[in-house]
Amino acid sequence: MPLHILITGANRGIGLEMTRQAAQRGDRVIAACRHPDDAADLQKLAAEDGLQIDIIGMDVADDSAVAAAASQIASTITGALDLVVANAGQMNARGGLQDPGHTQDNIAASLMTNVAGVFFTARHFVPHLRAAASNGGTNNVAKLAVISSQMGSSTRAGISAPIYRASKAAATNLARSLSMELAADNIAVGAWHPGWVQTDMGGSEAAITPQTSAAGLLLRFDELSMQTTGVFEDYAGTPHPF
Ligand SMILES: NC(=O)c1ccc[n+]([C@@H]2O[C@H](COP(=O)([O-])OP(=O)(O)OC[C@H]3O[C@@H](n4cnc5c(N)ncnc54)[C@H](OP(=O)(O)O)[C@@H]3O)[C@@H](O)[C@H]2O)c1
């Protein structure tokens, strides 16, 4: 059965590719991005024949913007979502303590996007997920997927990008907490490492393409159930230590 899916950060990278592959398999995708007017690749994709993609503006770091987008979707597109993918993320400095990129503004933007953004997205779209779960959903379950990173795992501590690592540790932790809070609503929650992916963030030397990552992630979201809620694994389904 085709799904209703919301994906944040859908204008480029892994988010754009998840949008493409989900729409190509017949799902209806609400593609959220900060600047729809500048999202040329996403607009081109949404214009392709046979694909159901609605583009909406949403900065996940802005609580009121996420709230406004959630009510706009409920009144104009759908009040029920089978899957919400919190994908939007930022890495604003790659060096250690003395990297000048670790400005107060950059740190705030990383934490507000990678941590609070997941929280705001969950908070304002839980009603849509609850509606899908109570309508039958996929096996009576609706799903929240958090795109985190193995760089946030304490088992993979390293000397690069400490703020990004800390933000992704928090994102994974948040997913686990939300899996507990939302279990009573039949909303399953998972956190995923998408692989080291050839995007603006991952760089051209990265190990896998956005196509491989997105294909794996969509399969993982399909597999997620109330039995596996709280999972942290990679795009290929290998469990990941927290
Ligand atoms: N690539 C990798 O190797 C890798 C590895 C581990 C985890 N990840 C995670 O995977 C996710 C996607 O990464 P990517 O590689 O596709 O990165 P990317 O190519 O840099 O794309 C990041 C996306 O997030 C959006 N975004 C950033 N801040 C936002 C905000 N405040 N509100 C809404 N959207 C925002 C960007 O929108 P704009 O165009 O407006 O900036 C863009 O669409 C991220 O969470 C990232 O941390 C990536």
Side-chain angles (χ1 to χ4, degrees), residues 4 18-19 34 47 53-54 62 64 76-77 80 100 130 171 183 219 236:
H4 270 134
M18 287 191 286
T19 300
R34 288 195 281 193
I53 299 173
D54 296 288
D62 180 344
S64 53
T76 59
I77 305 174
R130 217 180 261 139
L219 285 176

Side-chain angles (χ1 to χ4, degrees), residues 34-102:
R34 288 195 281 193
H35 307 294
D37 292 346
D38 300 334
D41 292 342
L42 178 58
Q43 285 181 24
K44 192 168 160 216
L45 177 66
E48 282 183 24
D49 279 350
L51 301 189
Q52 296 187 84
I53 299 173
D54 296 288
I55 303 173
I56 59 149
M58 188 170 102
D59 181 336
V60 301
D62 180 344
D63 188 32
S64 53
V66 180
S71 65
Q72 181 198 335
I73 288 166
S75 57
T76 59
I77 305 174
T78 178
L81 288 166
D82 301 292
L83 170 66
V84 170
V85 185
N87 164 75
Q90 296 186 14
M91 181 194 281
N92 291 318
R94 292 167 191 262
L97 275 177
Q98 305 309 332
D99 184 331
H102 291 303

Side-chain angles (χ1 to χ4, degrees), residues 11-12 14 34 59-60 87 90 113 148 164 168 195 197 199:
N11 56 304
R12 59 190 170 99
I14 301 165
R34 288 195 281 193
D59 181 336
V60 301
N87 164 75
Q90 296 186 14
T113 297
S148 188
Y164 178 78
K168 289 300 189 179
V197 191
T199 63

